[in-house]
Amino acid sequence: MITITKKENRVLNQIKYFQAEYRDGVPSNILKLDLSMSETEFKDILTNLEDKGLISKNDNYIKANAVDAQINAVESRAEVLREDLNQTEKKTFELITNLASEGFVSRHFLEGNLLYGDLKLSNLQMYQIIVSLENKGLIKKIQKKDGEYYNINT
């Protein structure tokens, strides 16, 4: 199953719609005008769709690829990332969400729970999962007056 955002789904559907008219690929400028999106947002969405193998770009022409996998459209980019998490990452993110008060959790408190709590992760596993969640934009390390915290991005 491939998970995409509603905006990505909208762009993909428009590409499929225009593809009947433009056999060699849909001109990107026509697609962008039809979708009424900013240049940055449009390029980001095209890049995400191409990375997932749903479209292919050739110069300024875009074609939808035939995909056998089921496509699941969700509301936001954060939901897409949550869908792509492995089991341990999902459990860790759930734990962080449960531990967080007002969207923040102390770094030391979190690390203690990951190492000695239900998950019983090793130091390396804990570090890799936290870095993975940071790279996916689900959590962010911040500095407060009383120490380091993780902020949950929703």
Side-chain angles (χ1 to χ4, degrees):
M1 178 184 302
I2 299 172
T3 306
I4 61 175
T5 65
K6 296 234 184 235
K7 287 184 179 182
E8 290 170 345
N9 193 39
R10 187 172 142 232
V11 171
L12 182 60
N13 287 336
Q14 284 303 103
I15 292 169
K16 289 177 182 177
Y17 175 77
F18 280 124
Q19 203 161 286
E21 190 175 332
Y22 299 98
R23 298 275 184 228
D24 297 330
V26 182
S28 61
N29 59 347
I30 290 177
L31 185 61
K32 190 175 112 260
L33 285 173
D34 184 64
L35 293 167
S36 301
M37 289 183 169
S38 71
E39 183 76 25
T40 321
E41 182 180 32
F42 181 69
K43 285 186 177 187
D44 287 345
I45 289 173
L46 290 181
T47 301
N48 290 339
L49 290 174
E50 189 174 32
D51 290 346
K52 293 176 183 179
L54 297 173
I55 65 167
S56 54
K57 295 189 296 188
N58 185 11
D59 294 323
N60 288 327
Y61 295 96
I62 305 160
K63 280 187 173 183
N65 297 334
V67 178
D68 293 336
Q70 182 182 359
I71 296 174
N72 180 26
V74 294
E75 287 295 323
S76 67
R77 185 82 184 123
E79 286 183 54
V80 171
L81 294 172
R82 282 189 207 123
E83 291 287 326
D84 292 340
L85 298 178
N86 67 35
Q87 247 350 64
T88 308
E89 289 173 329
K90 282 183 183 179
K91 288 179 183 176
T92 302
F93 190 70
E94 272 181 35
L95 179 71
I96 293 170
T97 305
N98 292 336
L99 293 175
S101 62
E102 299 177 17
F104 298 101
V105 63
S106 165
R107 182 186 74 124
H108 298 292
F109 185 62
L110 172 63
E111 289 175 357
N113 274 280
L114 293 176
L115 291 171
Y116 307 112
D118 293 339
L119 296 177
K120 298 207 184 300
L121 300 175
S122 70
N123 284 334
L124 182 60
Q125 287 174 315
M126 177 194 62
Y127 174 75
Q128 289 173 334
I129 289 173
I130 288 174
V131 168
S132 174
L133 293 174
E134 282 181 300
N135 289 340
K136 292 177 180 179
L138 295 174
I139 62 174
K140 181 180 179 183
K141 189 186 292 187
I142 60 168
Q143 185 70 39
K144 286 186 157 188
K145 290 181 182 179
D146 58 344
E148 292 181 352
Y149 286 80
Y150 287 101
N151 181 21
I152 299 173
N153 297 331
T154 54

